[in-house]
Amino acid sequence: MNSHHSTPARWVRRLAALAGAAVLPTVVACAPPGSGNTATVPTDPGPVSIDLGTDPIELTLYDGAGLKKIDEALVAAFTERHPNVTITARYDPDDVQAVNAPRVLASENPPDIARIIALPAAVANRQLTELDPWADAYGWNALPPGQMAMYRVDANGVRGTGPQYTMASGFTVTGFYYNKELADRIGMAEPPATVAEFERALASAKGAGLVPIMAGNKSSQVTFLVQMMLNSALGPDAVDDWVFNAPGATLDTPAAVDAAAVVADWAAKGYLPADTNGTDATAAAGRFAAGEALFYVSGNWDAATLQAKMGENVGFTLPPVPSGSPVAAMSDPVSNFAIPSGSDEKNAAAAFLDFLRSDAGRQVVVDAGFAPSGTGPVPATAPGSLGAEIQAAFDELVAADGQVQFVQNATNGMSGTWLPQVQMLVAGRTTPGEMMAAVQSAYEQDLLR
C-alpha cells in the first residue's frame, strides 16, 4: 500500500498549456502491449554522471501538442544553463499521443525524454529507464513522498511503490474559485477552511438566492466534489492506493459512501445548478464569471480566464477538510517525463528531469499557469493576483503532502464509469451506496480482478 509518509501515475491529461484555457481532464486509453510495442534494449541506466561536460549533446523530447508552449520555455531555460545541449521536440496531437507512445518508445530511434501516461504498461514493456541511480545522485528522494509516489511502479504494475521512472514538469491543482462580492453579501469574510464552514456558506448563498456551487457536470465537475469529500473522509493515502491499483483497494466502504452522500445532500438541497448535468465546463466558468454563483469547483487551468473577466473579484481556496485535518486536493503531473530505455543520452536526459525542480524550471512552469515540481520558495507571481493565490495554496498543499491523484484515472475505463454514476447521483436516480458499489465493480472488471 502506498503511504504519503513512507514509500514515496498516470492521470488524466489536461491537454492544454495555454493560459486561460478552460479545459477539463480527459482520460486517453493507451494501446495495449503487444507486437511492435515492446522495447528490446535493456532498462539499466549504464554509467551515471551529473556532469554534462562541454561536448555537444543532442536530445529529443516527445510530448502532446497542447503542451508545446511550456515545453519550449523549459527547453530554452535548460539549454541556457547547458549551452552544449540541444533539444529537439516532437509533438503528437493530444488525443493520440498516449496511443502512439508505445510505438514511439519502441522505435529504432526513441526520444530521450518522453511524456508517459500509461506508466505501468511502459514499465512492463521494458520501455523506460529506472531512475533510482540519478535520484540518489541528484537527491530526488528528498521530494515529498506524495510526489514521489506518482513516479514509481513496482514489479506487479502497482503504482506508488517500486523504482522511480518519471519526473513531473509541473502540476495541476484543484479547489474552489469564489466571488468576493457575493461572499461579502452573505457575510463570508474568509474562504471556508473546514467542511462545516463550507456548508454554512452554501446554506447562506442558497438563502440569498444564489447558486452556491457552479459545476458543469456534463464535463464531470461534480466528480471533483465527490473526490474532495473522499479525500477528506479516507485520506490521501487510501484514495491514491485506489488510483494506483494497490491490492485490495476499494471505495465500496461505509466511509466512502458517507462521503458521496454529502454531495448527494448538496444536490438535494439545491446547492448545485439545476441544469448541472447539461452544463459543460466552459459554460460553467462563464456563468460563474458573470456572477451567478458563490463558488466554482475547478482548477488552475481556469485562472487566467477568470482573472481577465473578474479582475480582483475572484479568489481561490483549497477544498475544505474536516476540522483539524491537513489539506488535500487533486493535483496531477502536467507532463510525467521519463527516459526511454533506448536513449543514448541518459545522463543529459536526467539532467533535464532534475532541472524541472530547479528554481528556474519552477518559475517557467508557474509563468505558464501551472504549479511547480519539487519544493522550494514559491516562484514569483504578480502580487495580489489570482495566480499568486493559487501558488500560495499549492505551497500549502505540498507542505501538507496532500496531493492526490484523480479517481477518474484509476483505469482506462474509470472516466466513463464516474461520469454517468455521478450524474445519476445528483439527479436522485441512484443512491450513494449504489454508486460506490457500481464504481468498485467496474474498477475490478477493468483490472480483471
Side-chain angles (χ1 to χ4, degrees), residues 171-431:
F171 295 97
T172 61
V173 59
T174 53
F176 288 98
Y177 293 98
Y178 61 97
N179 184 307
K180 294 180 180 179
E181 291 180 359
L182 299 184
D184 287 343
R185 186 188 303 180
I186 66 165
M188 190 182 92
E190 299 288 341
T194 69
V195 175
E197 292 170 350
F198 185 66
E199 291 193 314
R200 285 196 292 271
L202 299 182
S204 296
K206 180 66 176 177
L210 304 171
V211 173
I213 308 173
M214 179 56 64
N217 204 35
K218 188 176 181 180
S219 302
S220 205
Q221 286 187 320
V222 177
T223 304
F224 288 6
L225 296 176
V226 173
Q227 183 171 357
M228 288 171 180
M229 293 302 102
L230 288 171
N231 295 343
S232 295
L234 307 182
D237 291 344
V239 178
D240 269 351
D241 280 340
W242 193 81
V243 179
F244 291 152
N245 307 153
T250 181
L251 292 184
D252 189 9
T253 66
V257 171
D258 288 346
V262 172
V263 179
D265 182 59
W266 292 348
K269 290 178 176 177
Y271 290 171
L272 301 172
D275 59 350
T276 184
N277 283 343
T279 302
D280 65 18
T282 301
R287 288 166 61 179
F288 171 74
E292 185 176 333
L294 175 61
F295 294 106
Y296 171 49
V297 58
S298 185
N300 62 284
W301 53 91
D302 274 330
T305 297
L306 294 178
Q307 181 88 84
K309 291 182 177 180
M310 301 177 70
E312 297 181 355
N313 190 36
V314 59
F316 180 84
T317 185
L318 292 172
V321 294
S323 181
S325 297
V327 293
M330 295 86 79
S331 173
D332 272 356
V334 179
S335 286
N336 216 9
F337 282 128
I339 302 176
S341 52
S343 169
D344 294 326
E345 296 289 354
K346 294 180 180 179
N347 284 318
F352 180 81
L353 299 190
D354 185 62
F355 174 76
L356 299 174
R357 68 187 188 98
S358 69
D359 290 345
R362 286 162 57 84
Q363 187 66 59
V364 167
V365 170
V366 169
D367 290 345
F370 294 97
S373 186
T375 58
V378 178
T381 51
S385 67
L386 185 58
E389 287 190 39
I390 290 173
Q391 296 306 327
F394 183 73
D395 189 54
E396 180 185 358
L397 183 67
V398 171
D401 198 21
Q403 292 175 263
V404 190
Q405 301 280 271
F406 283 75
V407 292
Q408 296 100 313
N409 300 284
T411 72
N412 283 336
M414 272 296 102
S415 183
T417 296
W418 276 103
L419 177 58
Q421 287 295 325
V422 174
Q423 287 179 333
M424 289 192 294
L425 182 73
V426 300
R429 299 201 306 270
T430 191
T431 68

Side-chain angles (χ1 to χ4, degrees), residues 148-166:
M148 290 297 291
M150 303 181 195
Y151 310 148
R152 298 183 181 277
V153 178
D154 70 13
N156 297 315
V158 176
R159 290 167 287 171
T161 61
Q164 179 180 354
Y165 289 94
T166 60

